[in-house]
Amino acid sequence: MGKALEQLKVTEKKTVAVGQKMDLVFYTLQMGLFDLDFDLISKCIDKAKKLFEKGGDWERKNRLKVYEGLFCMSTRNFKKAADLFLDSISTFTTYELFPYDTFIFYTVLTSIITLDRVSLKQKVVDAPEILTVIGKIPYLSEFMNSLYECQYKSFFSAFAGLMEHIKLDRYLQPHFRYYMREVRTVVYSQFLESYKSVTIEAMAKAFGVSEDFIDLELSRFIAAGKLHCKIDKVAGVLETNRPDAKNALYQATIKQGDFLLNRIQKLSRVIDL
């Protein structure tokens, strides 16, 4: 790989056209993704963006979105990865990385843990490009639709089927446990959003698991600050305590105001000196 990179650099020095320079960057990106050399990938993406400032066609710009999306997904920036993948659904041509089915697989997985319910419906659940392909990927359609339709037993069943697929993926496998936690956070939050209080028994039945399992699961997520609820073990009830959005905004404004005042005071001292 080292010799190949050296030859690409030599070729780049002799190349004038922006489009051809971009192709050399794409070749380097492919080698970086093969070795999962994230430092090399990051530098190449920055280099490609600078080249596009000098010119470049839309086809190559759209290809770069997929490369950057794959880099973001591989470095656990699922939000940006989902945005880039969704922007590329109708213009996907990056078959040198993976087939379109795999691209849709990545798009759905990253979108489910990053998009709100309304955006998920508009951009993913109803997207014609996704609907034409999703049935070819085992468990993916059930995974997406059961979450949106609040069919939690079906969701967990489909999720169990997808787990092996995720484990075998070279880009997702390092984030397997993290992704599992994020998905469960999304689905538990969606369920609890509908209730001010609900019994542990009712939630366990909805998910098709035991009460002990739900109790252990939720206690971990609550302790980690992932879920806004508390468990009344004596009464066997879950009570939601979702934070008030206005109060959270008020607290954030106060913190930002304090930070700004401190900066102004420090600046005034420097000016006085």
Side-chain angles (χ1 to χ4, degrees), residues 108 111-113 115 117 120 125 140-156 158 179 183-191 207:
V108 173
S111 296
I112 276 178
I113 62 171
L115 297 184
R117 186 175 172 81
L120 187 69
V125 176
L140 191 60
S141 179
E142 298 92 325
F143 178 69
M144 178 183 74
N145 290 312
S146 59
L147 172 66
Y148 185 77
E149 294 168 5
C150 304
Q151 302 294 326
Y152 299 113
K153 283 185 183 179
S154 300
F155 175 82
F156 264 41
Y179 186 80
V183 168
R184 280 145 53 204
T185 300
V186 168
V187 73
Y188 293 147
S189 297
Q190 180 174 291
F191 178 86
F207 284 90

PDB file of all heavy atoms in Angstrom, residues 108 111-113 115 117 120 125 140-156 158 179 183-191 207:
ATOM      1  N   VAL A 108     -30.601   3.138   6.292  1.00  0.00           N
ATOM      2  CA  VAL A 108     -31.692   2.849   7.236  1.00  0.00           C
ATOM      3  C   VAL A 108     -31.159   2.731   8.654  1.00  0.00           C
ATOM      4  O   VAL A 108     -31.727   3.307   9.596  1.00  0.00           O
ATOM      5  CB  VAL A 108     -32.436   1.561   6.818  1.00  0.00           C
ATOM      6  CG1 VAL A 108     -33.452   1.161   7.894  1.00  0.00           C
ATOM      7  CG2 VAL A 108     -33.153   1.764   5.489  1.00  0.00           C
ATOM      8  N   SER A 111     -30.158   6.156  10.008  1.00  0.00           N
ATOM      9  CA  SER A 111     -31.301   7.068  10.118  1.00  0.00           C
ATOM     10  C   SER A 111     -32.167   6.750  11.329  1.00  0.00           C
ATOM     11  O   SER A 111     -32.669   7.651  12.005  1.00  0.00           O
ATOM     12  CB  SER A 111     -32.161   7.003   8.847  1.00  0.00           C
ATOM     13  OG  SER A 111     -31.446   7.446   7.721  1.00  0.00           O
ATOM     14  N   ILE A 112     -32.338   5.471  11.622  1.00  0.00           N
ATOM     15  CA  ILE A 112     -33.233   5.060  12.704  1.00  0.00           C
ATOM     16  C   ILE A 112     -32.786   5.607  14.060  1.00  0.00           C
ATOM     17  O   ILE A 112     -33.614   5.960  14.905  1.00  0.00           O
ATOM     18  CB  ILE A 112     -33.356   3.520  12.729  1.00  0.00           C
ATOM     19  CG1 ILE A 112     -34.425   3.097  11.714  1.00  0.00           C
ATOM     20  CG2 ILE A 112     -33.696   2.997  14.114  1.00  0.00           C
ATOM     21  CD1 ILE A 112     -34.633   1.610  11.593  1.00  0.00           C
ATOM     22  N   ILE A 113     -31.485   5.719  14.271  1.00  0.00           N
ATOM     23  CA  ILE A 113     -31.015   6.184  15.587  1.00  0.00           C
ATOM     24  C   ILE A 113     -30.722   7.686  15.620  1.00  0.00           C
ATOM     25  O   ILE A 113     -30.316   8.210  16.655  1.00  0.00           O
ATOM     26  CB  ILE A 113     -29.760   5.410  16.048  1.00  0.00           C
ATOM     27  CG1 ILE A 113     -28.597   5.623  15.085  1.00  0.00           C
ATOM     28  CG2 ILE A 113     -30.071   3.944  16.237  1.00  0.00           C
ATOM     29  CD1 ILE A 113     -27.278   5.058  15.594  1.00  0.00           C
ATOM     30  N   LEU A 115     -32.764  10.209  13.355  1.00  0.00           N
ATOM     31  CA  LEU A 115     -33.866  11.052  12.893  1.00  0.00           C
ATOM     32  C   LEU A 115     -35.039  11.000  13.855  1.00  0.00           C
ATOM     33  O   LEU A 115     -35.304   9.972  14.478  1.00  0.00           O
ATOM     34  CB  LEU A 115     -34.347  10.598  11.505  1.00  0.00           C
ATOM     35  CG  LEU A 115     -33.353  10.688  10.339  1.00  0.00           C
ATOM     36  CD1 LEU A 115     -34.053  10.280   9.058  1.00  0.00           C
ATOM     37  CD2 LEU A 115     -32.765  12.081  10.205  1.00  0.00           C
ATOM     38  N   ARG A 117     -39.189  11.085  14.572  1.00  0.00           N
ATOM     39  CA  ARG A 117     -40.228  10.241  13.974  1.00  0.00           C
ATOM     40  C   ARG A 117     -40.773  10.824  12.660  1.00  0.00           C
ATOM     41  O   ARG A 117     -40.967  10.104  11.686  1.00  0.00           O
ATOM     42  CB  ARG A 117     -41.357  10.051  14.986  1.00  0.00           C
ATOM     43  CG  ARG A 117     -42.431   9.071  14.552  1.00  0.00           C
ATOM     44  CD  ARG A 117     -43.435   8.856  15.677  1.00  0.00           C
ATOM     45  NE  ARG A 117     -44.569   8.085  15.232  1.00  0.00           N
ATOM     46  CZ  ARG A 117     -44.591   6.767  15.130  1.00  0.00           C
ATOM     47  NH1 ARG A 117     -43.511   6.069  15.422  1.00  0.00           N
ATOM     48  NH2 ARG A 117     -45.677   6.133  14.721  1.00  0.00           N
ATOM     49  N   LEU A 120     -38.107  10.563   9.923  1.00  0.00           N
ATOM     50  CA  LEU A 120     -37.938   9.162   9.537  1.00  0.00           C
ATOM     51  C   LEU A 120     -39.028   8.751   8.555  1.00  0.00           C
ATOM     52  O   LEU A 120     -38.758   8.061   7.559  1.00  0.00           O
ATOM     53  CB  LEU A 120     -37.976   8.274  10.781  1.00  0.00           C
ATOM     54  CG  LEU A 120     -37.656   6.793  10.553  1.00  0.00           C
ATOM     55  CD1 LEU A 120     -36.191   6.613  10.190  1.00  0.00           C
ATOM     56  CD2 LEU A 120     -37.991   5.974  11.802  1.00  0.00           C
ATOM     57  N   VAL A 125     -39.055   5.935   5.631  1.00  0.00           N
ATOM     58  CA  VAL A 125     -40.172   4.984   5.559  1.00  0.00           C
ATOM     59  C   VAL A 125     -40.928   5.102   4.239  1.00  0.00           C
ATOM     60  O   VAL A 125     -41.320   4.093   3.636  1.00  0.00           O
ATOM     61  CB  VAL A 125     -41.132   5.178   6.754  1.00  0.00           C
ATOM     62  CG1 VAL A 125     -42.344   4.257   6.629  1.00  0.00           C
ATOM     63  CG2 VAL A 125     -40.407   4.914   8.068  1.00  0.00           C
ATOM     64  N   LEU A 140     -34.622  -6.155   7.371  1.00  0.00           N
ATOM     65  CA  LEU A 140     -34.510  -4.691   7.428  1.00  0.00           C
ATOM     66  C   LEU A 140     -35.866  -3.998   7.332  1.00  0.00           C
ATOM     67  O   LEU A 140     -36.127  -3.026   8.048  1.00  0.00           O
ATOM     68  CB  LEU A 140     -33.580  -4.189   6.322  1.00  0.00           C
ATOM     69  CG  LEU A 140     -33.176  -2.711   6.427  1.00  0.00           C
ATOM     70  CD1 LEU A 140     -32.435  -2.449   7.733  1.00  0.00           C
ATOM     71  CD2 LEU A 140     -32.292  -2.303   5.242  1.00  0.00           C
ATOM     72  N   SER A 141     -36.735  -4.473   6.457  1.00  0.00           N
ATOM     73  CA  SER A 141     -38.055  -3.869   6.307  1.00  0.00           C
ATOM     74  C   SER A 141     -38.860  -4.010   7.603  1.00  0.00           C
ATOM     75  O   SER A 141     -39.487  -3.047   8.069  1.00  0.00           O
ATOM     76  CB  SER A 141     -38.818  -4.525   5.152  1.00  0.00           C
ATOM     77  OG  SER A 141     -40.104  -3.963   5.018  1.00  0.00           O
ATOM     78  N   GLU A 142     -38.840  -5.206   8.191  1.00  0.00           N
ATOM     79  CA  GLU A 142     -39.554  -5.432   9.460  1.00  0.00           C
ATOM     80  C   GLU A 142     -38.971  -4.562  10.568  1.00  0.00           C
ATOM     81  O   GLU A 142     -39.705  -4.020  11.401  1.00  0.00           O
ATOM     82  CB  GLU A 142     -39.476  -6.907   9.857  1.00  0.00           C
ATOM     83  CG  GLU A 142     -40.118  -7.868   8.862  1.00  0.00           C
ATOM     84  CD  GLU A 142     -39.131  -8.394   7.833  1.00  0.00           C
ATOM     85  OE1 GLU A 142     -38.217  -7.621   7.425  1.00  0.00           O
ATOM     86  OE2 GLU A 142     -39.261  -9.564   7.432  1.00  0.00           O
ATOM     87  N   PHE A 143     -37.660  -4.436  10.571  1.00  0.00           N
ATOM     88  CA  PHE A 143     -36.967  -3.625  11.576  1.00  0.00           C
ATOM     89  C   PHE A 143     -37.429  -2.169  11.517  1.00  0.00           C
ATOM     90  O   PHE A 143     -37.780  -1.564  12.531  1.00  0.00           O
ATOM     91  CB  PHE A 143     -35.458  -3.718  11.310  1.00  0.00           C
ATOM     92  CG  PHE A 143     -34.596  -2.892  12.221  1.00  0.00           C
ATOM     93  CD1 PHE A 143     -34.459  -3.204  13.549  1.00  0.00           C
ATOM     94  CD2 PHE A 143     -33.885  -1.801  11.720  1.00  0.00           C
ATOM     95  CE1 PHE A 143     -33.640  -2.452  14.392  1.00  0.00           C
ATOM     96  CE2 PHE A 143     -33.063  -1.048  12.546  1.00  0.00           C
ATOM     97  CZ  PHE A 143     -32.943  -1.372  13.885  1.00  0.00           C
ATOM     98  N   MET A 144     -37.461  -1.605  10.321  1.00  0.00           N
ATOM     99  CA  MET A 144     -37.837  -0.204  10.155  1.00  0.00           C
ATOM    100  C   MET A 144     -39.326   0.022  10.392  1.00  0.00           C
ATOM    101  O   MET A 144     -39.725   0.907  11.162  1.00  0.00           O
ATOM    102  CB  MET A 144     -37.463   0.267   8.751  1.00  0.00           C
ATOM    103  CG  MET A 144     -37.854   1.706   8.443  1.00  0.00           C
ATOM    104  SD  MET A 144     -37.457   2.187   6.739  1.00  0.00           S
ATOM    105  CE  MET A 144     -38.753   1.282   5.850  1.00  0.00           C
ATOM    106  N   ASN A 145     -40.165  -0.786   9.753  1.00  0.00           N
ATOM    107  CA  ASN A 145     -41.606  -0.563   9.815  1.00  0.00           C
ATOM    108  C   ASN A 145     -42.200  -0.884  11.185  1.00  0.00           C
ATOM    109  O   ASN A 145     -43.109  -0.190  11.647  1.00  0.00           O
ATOM    110  CB  ASN A 145     -42.319  -1.378   8.730  1.00  0.00           C
ATOM    111  CG  ASN A 145     -42.036  -0.843   7.339  1.00  0.00           C
ATOM    112  OD1 ASN A 145     -42.144   0.351   7.101  1.00  0.00           O
ATOM    113  ND2 ASN A 145     -41.670  -1.714   6.416  1.00  0.00           N
ATOM    114  N   SER A 146     -41.695  -1.910  11.842  1.00  0.00           N
ATOM    115  CA  SER A 146     -42.218  -2.244  13.162  1.00  0.00           C
ATOM    116  C   SER A 146     -41.883  -1.166  14.179  1.00  0.00           C
ATOM    117  O   SER A 146     -42.668  -0.886  15.092  1.00  0.00           O
ATOM    118  CB  SER A 146     -41.695  -3.598  13.633  1.00  0.00           C
ATOM    119  OG  SER A 146     -40.275  -3.598  13.678  1.00  0.00           O
ATOM    120  N   LEU A 147     -40.726  -0.517  14.025  1.00  0.00           N
ATOM    121  CA  LEU A 147     -40.393   0.599  14.910  1.00  0.00           C
ATOM    122  C   LEU A 147     -41.355   1.754  14.685  1.00  0.00           C
ATOM    123  O   LEU A 147     -41.916   2.299  15.637  1.00  0.00           O
ATOM    124  CB  LEU A 147     -38.956   1.069  14.667  1.00  0.00           C
ATOM    125  CG  LEU A 147     -38.558   2.361  15.407  1.00  0.00           C
ATOM    126  CD1 LEU A 147     -38.555   2.131  16.915  1.00  0.00           C
ATOM    127  CD2 LEU A 147     -37.195   2.861  14.961  1.00  0.00           C
ATOM    128  N   TYR A 148     -41.575   2.121  13.428  1.00  0.00           N
ATOM    129  CA  TYR A 148     -42.453   3.251  13.138  1.00  0.00           C
ATOM    130  C   TYR A 148     -43.897   2.945  13.529  1.00  0.00           C
ATOM    131  O   TYR A 148     -44.620   3.822  14.011  1.00  0.00           O
ATOM    132  CB  TYR A 148     -42.395   3.616  11.656  1.00  0.00           C
ATOM    133  CG  TYR A 148     -43.209   4.854  11.352  1.00  0.00           C
ATOM    134  CD1 TYR A 148     -42.717   6.119  11.671  1.00  0.00           C
ATOM    135  CD2 TYR A 148     -44.478   4.757  10.801  1.00  0.00           C
ATOM    136  CE1 TYR A 148     -43.475   7.256  11.452  1.00  0.00           C
ATOM    137  CE2 TYR A 148     -45.241   5.885  10.567  1.00  0.00           C
ATOM    138  CZ  TYR A 148     -44.733   7.134  10.889  1.00  0.00           C
ATOM    139  OH  TYR A 148     -45.492   8.252  10.681  1.00  0.00           O
ATOM    140  N   GLU A 149     -44.322   1.700  13.365  1.00  0.00           N
ATOM    141  CA  GLU A 149     -45.710   1.327  13.668  1.00  0.00           C
ATOM    142  C   GLU A 149     -45.891   0.874  15.112  1.00  0.00           C
ATOM    143  O   GLU A 149     -46.970   0.426  15.498  1.00  0.00           O
ATOM    144  CB  GLU A 149     -46.143   0.211  12.720  1.00  0.00           C
ATOM    145  CG  GLU A 149     -46.218   0.669  11.257  1.00  0.00           C
ATOM    146  CD  GLU A 149     -46.363  -0.490  10.285  1.00  0.00           C
ATOM    147  OE1 GLU A 149     -46.497  -1.648  10.760  1.00  0.00           O
ATOM    148  OE2 GLU A 149     -46.343  -0.241   9.070  1.00  0.00           O
ATOM    149  N   CYS A 150     -44.834   0.987  15.917  1.00  0.00           N
ATOM    150  CA  CYS A 150     -44.882   0.664  17.354  1.00  0.00           C
ATOM    151  C   CYS A 150     -45.237  -0.796  17.621  1.00  0.00           C
ATOM    152  O   CYS A 150     -45.877  -1.122  18.631  1.00  0.00           O
ATOM    153  CB  CYS A 150     -45.875   1.579  18.077  1.00  0.00           C
ATOM    154  SG  CYS A 150     -45.542   3.342  17.860  1.00  0.00           S
ATOM    155  N   GLN A 151     -44.794  -1.680  16.729  1.00  0.00           N
ATOM    156  CA  GLN A 151     -44.971  -3.125  16.938  1.00  0.00           C
ATOM    157  C   GLN A 151     -43.688  -3.662  17.573  1.00  0.00           C
ATOM    158  O   GLN A 151     -42.800  -4.169  16.899  1.00  0.00           O
ATOM    159  CB  GLN A 151     -45.262  -3.811  15.601  1.00  0.00           C
ATOM    160  CG  GLN A 151     -46.477  -3.298  14.875  1.00  0.00           C
ATOM    161  CD  GLN A 151     -47.758  -3.590  15.626  1.00  0.00           C
ATOM    162  OE1 GLN A 151     -47.879  -4.628  16.287  1.00  0.00           O
ATOM    163  NE2 GLN A 151     -48.726  -2.681  15.531  1.00  0.00           N
ATOM    164  N   TYR A 152     -43.619  -3.516  18.895  1.00  0.00           N
ATOM    165  CA  TYR A 152     -42.340  -3.704  19.563  1.00  0.00           C
ATOM    166  C   TYR A 152     -41.859  -5.156  19.602  1.00  0.00           C
ATOM    167  O   TYR A 152     -40.658  -5.421  19.551  1.00  0.00           O
ATOM    168  CB  TYR A 152     -42.409  -3.118  20.970  1.00  0.00           C
ATOM    169  CG  TYR A 152     -42.689  -1.641  20.955  1.00  0.00           C
ATOM    170  CD1 TYR A 152     -43.882  -1.121  21.451  1.00  0.00           C
ATOM    171  CD2 TYR A 152     -41.778  -0.746  20.398  1.00  0.00           C
ATOM    172  CE1 TYR A 152     -44.141   0.243  21.403  1.00  0.00           C
ATOM    173  CE2 TYR A 152     -42.026   0.611  20.343  1.00  0.00           C
ATOM    174  CZ  TYR A 152     -43.224   1.102  20.850  1.00  0.00           C
ATOM    175  OH  TYR A 152     -43.481   2.459  20.794  1.00  0.00           O
ATOM    176  N   LYS A 153     -42.778  -6.112  19.699  1.00  0.00           N
ATOM    177  CA  LYS A 153     -42.367  -7.524  19.660  1.00  0.00           C
ATOM    178  C   LYS A 153     -41.721  -7.843  18.308  1.00  0.00           C
ATOM    179  O   LYS A 153     -40.673  -8.478  18.238  1.00  0.00           O
ATOM    180  CB  LYS A 153     -43.573  -8.426  19.888  1.00  0.00           C
ATOM    181  CG  LYS A 153     -44.031  -8.526  21.333  1.00  0.00           C
ATOM    182  CD  LYS A 153     -45.162  -9.536  21.465  1.00  0.00           C
ATOM    183  CE  LYS A 153     -45.670  -9.591  22.894  1.00  0.00           C
ATOM    184  NZ  LYS A 153     -46.787 -10.556  23.046  1.00  0.00           N
ATOM    185  N   SER A 154     -42.362  -7.387  17.234  1.00  0.00           N
ATOM    186  CA  SER A 154     -41.830  -7.621  15.890  1.00  0.00           C
ATOM    187  C   SER A 154     -40.502  -6.907  15.708  1.00  0.00           C
ATOM    188  O   SER A 154     -39.585  -7.411  15.045  1.00  0.00           O
ATOM    189  CB  SER A 154     -42.825  -7.125  14.835  1.00  0.00           C
ATOM    190  OG  SER A 154     -44.059  -7.797  14.951  1.00  0.00           O
ATOM    191  N   PHE A 155     -40.407  -5.726  16.304  1.00  0.00           N
ATOM    192  CA  PHE A 155     -39.168  -4.949  16.197  1.00  0.00           C
ATOM    193  C   PHE A 155     -37.997  -5.707  16.812  1.00  0.00           C
ATOM    194  O   PHE A 155     -36.933  -5.834  16.192  1.00  0.00           O
ATOM    195  CB  PHE A 155     -39.335  -3.596  16.892  1.00  0.00           C
ATOM    196  CG  PHE A 155     -38.064  -2.786  16.924  1.00  0.00           C
ATOM    197  CD1 PHE A 155     -37.677  -2.030  15.840  1.00  0.00           C
ATOM    198  CD2 PHE A 155     -37.245  -2.804  18.056  1.00  0.00           C
ATOM    199  CE1 PHE A 155     -36.488  -1.296  15.860  1.00  0.00           C
ATOM    200  CE2 PHE A 155     -36.068  -2.075  18.091  1.00  0.00           C
ATOM    201  CZ  PHE A 155     -35.694  -1.318  16.992  1.00  0.00           C
ATOM    202  N   PHE A 156     -38.173  -6.222  18.017  1.00  0.00           N
ATOM    203  CA  PHE A 156     -37.084  -6.936  18.679  1.00  0.00           C
ATOM    204  C   PHE A 156     -36.730  -8.225  17.938  1.00  0.00           C
ATOM    205  O   PHE A 156     -35.560  -8.618  17.886  1.00  0.00           O
ATOM    206  CB  PHE A 156     -37.466  -7.240  20.130  1.00  0.00           C
ATOM    207  CG  PHE A 156     -36.940  -6.215  21.093  1.00  0.00           C
ATOM    208  CD1 PHE A 156     -36.976  -4.869  20.781  1.00  0.00           C
ATOM    209  CD2 PHE A 156     -36.397  -6.588  22.311  1.00  0.00           C
ATOM    210  CE1 PHE A 156     -36.484  -3.912  21.656  1.00  0.00           C
ATOM    211  CE2 PHE A 156     -35.898  -5.636  23.201  1.00  0.00           C
ATOM    212  CZ  PHE A 156     -35.944  -4.305  22.866  1.00  0.00           C
ATOM    213  N   ALA A 158     -37.006  -8.695  14.644  1.00  0.00           N
ATOM    214  CA  ALA A 158     -36.251  -8.288  13.450  1.00  0.00           C
ATOM    215  C   ALA A 158     -34.854  -7.812  13.829  1.00  0.00           C
ATOM    216  O   ALA A 158     -33.871  -8.082  13.119  1.00  0.00           O
ATOM    217  CB  ALA A 158     -37.004  -7.185  12.713  1.00  0.00           C
ATOM    218  N   TYR A 179     -24.169   0.596  18.933  1.00  0.00           N
ATOM    219  CA  TYR A 179     -25.371   0.702  18.097  1.00  0.00           C
ATOM    220  C   TYR A 179     -26.549   0.003  18.762  1.00  0.00           C
ATOM    221  O   TYR A 179     -27.675   0.517  18.743  1.00  0.00           O
ATOM    222  CB  TYR A 179     -25.115   0.093  16.710  1.00  0.00           C
ATOM    223  CG  TYR A 179     -26.285   0.318  15.781  1.00  0.00           C
ATOM    224  CD1 TYR A 179     -26.447   1.545  15.135  1.00  0.00           C
ATOM    225  CD2 TYR A 179     -27.244  -0.662  15.581  1.00  0.00           C
ATOM    226  CE1 TYR A 179     -27.530   1.777  14.309  1.00  0.00           C
ATOM    227  CE2 TYR A 179     -28.330  -0.441  14.756  1.00  0.00           C
ATOM    228  CZ  TYR A 179     -28.467   0.774  14.123  1.00  0.00           C
ATOM    229  OH  TYR A 179     -29.563   1.008  13.324  1.00  0.00           O
ATOM    230  N   VAL A 183     -30.107   1.919  19.604  1.00  0.00           N
ATOM    231  CA  VAL A 183     -31.392   1.450  19.078  1.00  0.00           C
ATOM    232  C   VAL A 183     -32.364   1.198  20.221  1.00  0.00           C
ATOM    233  O   VAL A 183     -33.540   1.586  20.155  1.00  0.00           O
ATOM    234  CB  VAL A 183     -31.204   0.162  18.243  1.00  0.00           C
ATOM    235  CG1 VAL A 183     -32.547  -0.486  17.947  1.00  0.00           C
ATOM    236  CG2 VAL A 183     -30.499   0.485  16.939  1.00  0.00           C
ATOM    237  N   ARG A 184     -31.895   0.558  21.272  1.00  0.00           N
ATOM    238  CA  ARG A 184     -32.781   0.274  22.407  1.00  0.00           C
ATOM    239  C   ARG A 184     -33.207   1.570  23.097  1.00  0.00           C
ATOM    240  O   ARG A 184     -34.345   1.700  23.555  1.00  0.00           O
ATOM    241  CB  ARG A 184     -32.087  -0.666  23.391  1.00  0.00           C
ATOM    242  CG  ARG A 184     -32.168  -2.111  22.923  1.00  0.00           C
ATOM    243  CD  ARG A 184     -30.973  -2.943  23.254  1.00  0.00           C
ATOM    244  NE  ARG A 184     -30.593  -2.939  24.647  1.00  0.00           N
ATOM    245  CZ  ARG A 184     -29.355  -3.212  25.062  1.00  0.00           C
ATOM    246  NH1 ARG A 184     -28.406  -3.476  24.178  1.00  0.00           N
ATOM    247  NH2 ARG A 184     -29.061  -3.212  26.337  1.00  0.00           N
ATOM    248  N   THR A 185     -32.318   2.563  23.140  1.00  0.00           N
ATOM    249  CA  THR A 185     -32.696   3.861  23.699  1.00  0.00           C
ATOM    250  C   THR A 185     -33.828   4.485  22.894  1.00  0.00           C
ATOM    251  O   THR A 185     -34.801   5.017  23.461  1.00  0.00           O
ATOM    252  CB  THR A 185     -31.489   4.825  23.699  1.00  0.00           C
ATOM    253  OG1 THR A 185     -30.448   4.281  24.491  1.00  0.00           O
ATOM    254  CG2 THR A 185     -31.880   6.178  24.276  1.00  0.00           C
ATOM    255  N   VAL A 186     -33.724   4.407  21.578  1.00  0.00           N
ATOM    256  CA  VAL A 186     -34.757   4.977  20.696  1.00  0.00           C
ATOM    257  C   VAL A 186     -36.095   4.289  20.922  1.00  0.00           C
ATOM    258  O   VAL A 186     -37.134   4.943  21.082  1.00  0.00           O
ATOM    259  CB  VAL A 186     -34.335   4.846  19.212  1.00  0.00           C
ATOM    260  CG1 VAL A 186     -35.512   5.160  18.285  1.00  0.00           C
ATOM    261  CG2 VAL A 186     -33.182   5.788  18.905  1.00  0.00           C
ATOM    262  N   VAL A 187     -36.084   2.971  20.944  1.00  0.00           N
ATOM    263  CA  VAL A 187     -37.348   2.238  21.038  1.00  0.00           C
ATOM    264  C   VAL A 187     -37.973   2.370  22.433  1.00  0.00           C
ATOM    265  O   VAL A 187     -39.195   2.524  22.556  1.00  0.00           O
ATOM    266  CB  VAL A 187     -37.143   0.759  20.637  1.00  0.00           C
ATOM    267  CG1 VAL A 187     -36.400  -0.028  21.681  1.00  0.00           C
ATOM    268  CG2 VAL A 187     -38.475   0.098  20.316  1.00  0.00           C
ATOM    269  N   TYR A 188     -37.173   2.352  23.488  1.00  0.00           N
ATOM    270  CA  TYR A 188     -37.725   2.543  24.831  1.00  0.00           C
ATOM    271  C   TYR A 188     -38.269   3.958  25.006  1.00  0.00           C
ATOM    272  O   TYR A 188     -39.332   4.156  25.605  1.00  0.00           O
ATOM    273  CB  TYR A 188     -36.651   2.271  25.889  1.00  0.00           C
ATOM    274  CG  TYR A 188     -36.199   0.837  25.981  1.00  0.00           C
ATOM    275  CD1 TYR A 188     -34.886   0.516  26.327  1.00  0.00           C
ATOM    276  CD2 TYR A 188     -37.073  -0.212  25.706  1.00  0.00           C
ATOM    277  CE1 TYR A 188     -34.463  -0.796  26.407  1.00  0.00           C
ATOM    278  CE2 TYR A 188     -36.655  -1.531  25.787  1.00  0.00           C
ATOM    279  CZ  TYR A 188     -35.341  -1.817  26.126  1.00  0.00           C
ATOM    280  OH  TYR A 188     -34.930  -3.125  26.203  1.00  0.00           O
ATOM    281  N   SER A 189     -37.555   4.939  24.500  1.00  0.00           N
ATOM    282  CA  SER A 189     -38.012   6.331  24.590  1.00  0.00           C
ATOM    283  C   SER A 189     -39.323   6.520  23.847  1.00  0.00           C
ATOM    284  O   SER A 189     -40.228   7.215  24.323  1.00  0.00           O
ATOM    285  CB  SER A 189     -36.957   7.280  24.010  1.00  0.00           C
ATOM    286  OG  SER A 189     -35.762   7.220  24.740  1.00  0.00           O
ATOM    287  N   GLN A 190     -39.437   5.891  22.662  1.00  0.00           N
ATOM    288  CA  GLN A 190     -40.667   6.007  21.883  1.00  0.00           C
ATOM    289  C   GLN A 190     -41.842   5.401  22.634  1.00  0.00           C
ATOM    290  O   GLN A 190     -42.945   5.965  22.646  1.00  0.00           O
ATOM    291  CB  GLN A 190     -40.495   5.300  20.533  1.00  0.00           C
ATOM    292  CG  GLN A 190     -41.729   5.363  19.651  1.00  0.00           C
ATOM    293  CD  GLN A 190     -41.483   4.790  18.270  1.00  0.00           C
ATOM    294  OE1 GLN A 190     -40.750   5.364  17.487  1.00  0.00           O
ATOM    295  NE2 GLN A 190     -42.090   3.644  17.974  1.00  0.00           N
ATOM    296  N   PHE A 191     -41.629   4.254  23.269  1.00  0.00           N
ATOM    297  CA  PHE A 191     -42.704   3.621  24.038  1.00  0.00           C
ATOM    298  C   PHE A 191     -43.122   4.486  25.213  1.00  0.00           C
ATOM    299  O   PHE A 191     -44.317   4.725  25.436  1.00  0.00           O
ATOM    300  CB  PHE A 191     -42.238   2.245  24.534  1.00  0.00           C
ATOM    301  CG  PHE A 191     -43.252   1.529  25.382  1.00  0.00           C
ATOM    302  CD1 PHE A 191     -44.248   0.756  24.796  1.00  0.00           C
ATOM    303  CD2 PHE A 191     -43.226   1.640  26.767  1.00  0.00           C
ATOM    304  CE1 PHE A 191     -45.186   0.094  25.574  1.00  0.00           C
ATOM    305  CE2 PHE A 191     -44.159   0.989  27.555  1.00  0.00           C
ATOM    306  CZ  PHE A 191     -45.142   0.211  26.963  1.00  0.00           C
ATOM    307  N   PHE A 207     -43.033  -5.711  24.745  1.00  0.00           N
ATOM    308  CA  PHE A 207     -41.761  -6.051  24.105  1.00  0.00           C
ATOM    309  C   PHE A 207     -41.517  -7.554  24.025  1.00  0.00           C
ATOM    310  O   PHE A 207     -40.533  -7.986  23.428  1.00  0.00           O
ATOM    311  CB  PHE A 207     -40.603  -5.390  24.853  1.00  0.00           C
ATOM    312  CG  PHE A 207     -40.477  -3.914  24.580  1.00  0.00           C
ATOM    313  CD1 PHE A 207     -41.130  -2.982  25.354  1.00  0.00           C
ATOM    314  CD2 PHE A 207     -39.712  -3.463  23.517  1.00  0.00           C
ATOM    315  CE1 PHE A 207     -41.030  -1.621  25.095  1.00  0.00           C
ATOM    316  CE2 PHE A 207     -39.598  -2.111  23.242  1.00  0.00           C
ATOM    317  CZ  PHE A 207     -40.262  -1.186  24.030  1.00  0.00           C
TER     318      PHE A 207
END
